[in-house]
Amino acid sequence: SSCSIQPLSPGRARDSFPSIARVIVNPAVRICAAGTACLIFLPQTLPHWWLASLVSHFLLHLGLTAGFLCAIALYRKLLLTALGCAASIGFAAFLLVTTPVLEPIDGRGVTLVSQNLAAWNRRRSPAVDMLLREAPDIVVLQEYTPRWHDALESVRNPYPHQVQVAGRGAFGIAFLSRYPFFRSSHFRIGHRQRAVIDVEIGAPAFAGRLLAVHFDTPTSREEFAVQDQELGELAAYVDQLSEDFLIVGDFNNTPYAPNFRRFLADTGLSISSPVWLATWPAALDILG
């Protein structure tokens, strides 16, 4: 018997083996797109599940991921996948634009700085320098400890009206004001008894109540339940107020979380900063 061997042409060689893009890239894009869509939609369908709520805080990151995957899908001509990514982006954008945000006010009113000092932070001079430089009318400080109290002596001196409430661990709060208090008090919420300072002031540009808060982090089932309780009790408290009021501090939350959106809806409150503005960790800027 005899046989002959003939070399394959380059075109036939390419057709004989599936391309890497078809075998690896296309399925990977489909899987990642489906996973991203699930993570975007899941918190809104299961708002009381702590893990789903935790995922909701990364809405911006997930929206950017969906945009990246949409571009790849269009390049690979995966039209259904691209359409799914576009739906994910649209839903993320809907959550952004439907978050109530206060309109900026023209002119100088009362200037206020709210700062989480970080109880573990040993670099105290940046916070001290910033507060001295800005010299706001009102200062609200979270994670206020005895060591921070000593470090901020030069900051505290220009403020004749002060309230300081100790808290367990890193949950102390301080309130410093150039304007006199008509009255000041504090109460505690949640079973961990986190302090809320309630001050009534009579500033030229604002007469009303200022509440200073610091909530627990929702990073476990137990802590999510604690924060949910704190939000509910605070909503019930402010529902009884007849004066204008602001709530200032560290909610350990984002505007995308279902429980925080529920809090805004129940109270009729709006947030004062751009929805996309990230604050922690500060080094990551918008990706925080």
Side-chain angles (χ1 to χ4, degrees):
S1 63
S2 63
C3 65
S4 62
I5 300 175
Q6 297 180 354
L8 291 173
S9 67
R12 291 180 61 189
R14 282 196 298 270
D15 293 340
S16 300
F17 299 96
S19 70
I20 293 177
R22 287 204 306 273
V23 173
I24 298 177
V25 176
N26 290 4
V29 171
R30 291 190 181 102
I31 291 170
C32 291
T36 302
C38 287
L39 293 176
I40 289 176
F41 286 96
L42 185 66
Q44 311 309 318
T45 54
L46 297 172
H48 299 290
W49 184 26
W50 75 271
L51 202 53
S53 182
L54 192 61
V55 169
S56 71
H57 301 299
F58 298 92
L59 180 71
L60 270 179
H61 308 75
L62 293 169
L64 291 171
T65 302
F68 176 70
L69 292 169
C70 186
I72 296 177
L74 287 173
Y75 178 76
R76 295 296 311 157
K77 298 181 180 179
L78 305 173
L79 299 184
L80 286 178
T81 303
L83 187 62
C85 290
S88 298
I89 297 167
F91 186 69
F94 170 78
L95 291 177
L96 288 174
V97 300
T98 56
T99 302
V101 181
L102 287 173
E103 294 294 328
I105 300 171
D106 294 331
R108 187 185 187 279
V110 176
T111 56
L112 183 149
V113 165
S114 175
Q115 169 88 338
N116 187 316
L117 298 166
W120 48 265
N121 185 8
R122 296 182 180 275
R123 296 182 64 246
R124 296 186 172 86
S125 58
V128 173
D129 293 343
M130 183 274 291
L131 292 169
L132 289 174
R133 181 178 66 252
E134 296 296 332
D137 298 319
I138 296 170
V139 181
V140 178
L141 302 170
Q142 302 92 47
E143 300 203 20
Y144 190 78
T145 63
R147 290 183 177 180
W148 271 110
H149 179 81
D150 295 338
L152 292 169
E153 182 179 3
S154 59
V155 173
R156 290 186 288 106
N157 287 337
Y159 296 94
H161 310 284
Q162 304 182 13
V163 180
Q164 295 147 22
V165 179
R168 293 180 182 176
F171 283 87
I173 302 180
F175 191 107
L176 317 176
S177 174
R178 299 185 190 275
Y179 301 110
F181 303 149
F182 290 142
R183 66 171 197 83
S184 64
S185 63
H186 75 275
F187 59 96
R188 297 186 180 271
I189 55 176
H191 80 264
R192 291 186 178 173
Q193 295 293 285
R194 301 305 186 202
V196 178
I197 295 177
D198 181 1
V199 171
E200 187 175 358
I201 65 170
F206 176 79
R209 307 273 278 273
L210 284 169
L211 283 74
V213 303
H214 185 189
F215 285 177
D216 281 83
T217 56
T219 51
S220 70
R221 180 186 288 107
E222 179 187 2
E223 289 181 328
F224 173 76
V226 167
Q227 191 192 82
D228 223 26
Q229 183 186 23
E230 292 166 348
L231 284 167
E233 291 185 15
L234 184 61
Y237 181 84
V238 300
D239 190 49
Q240 302 172 16
L241 301 182
S242 57
E243 306 92 337
D244 290 333
F245 66 91
L246 296 172
I247 305 176
V248 183
D250 185 350
F251 280 85
N252 267 315
N253 224 314
T254 60
Y256 328 121
N259 64 346
F260 191 73
R261 295 179 75 85
R262 189 164 59 249
F263 171 79
L264 293 176
D266 290 345
T267 58
L269 288 167
S270 302
I271 65 172
S272 62
S273 57
V275 181
W276 44 262
L277 181 63
T279 60
W280 184 88
L284 292 182
D285 201 7
I286 193 173
L287 294 179

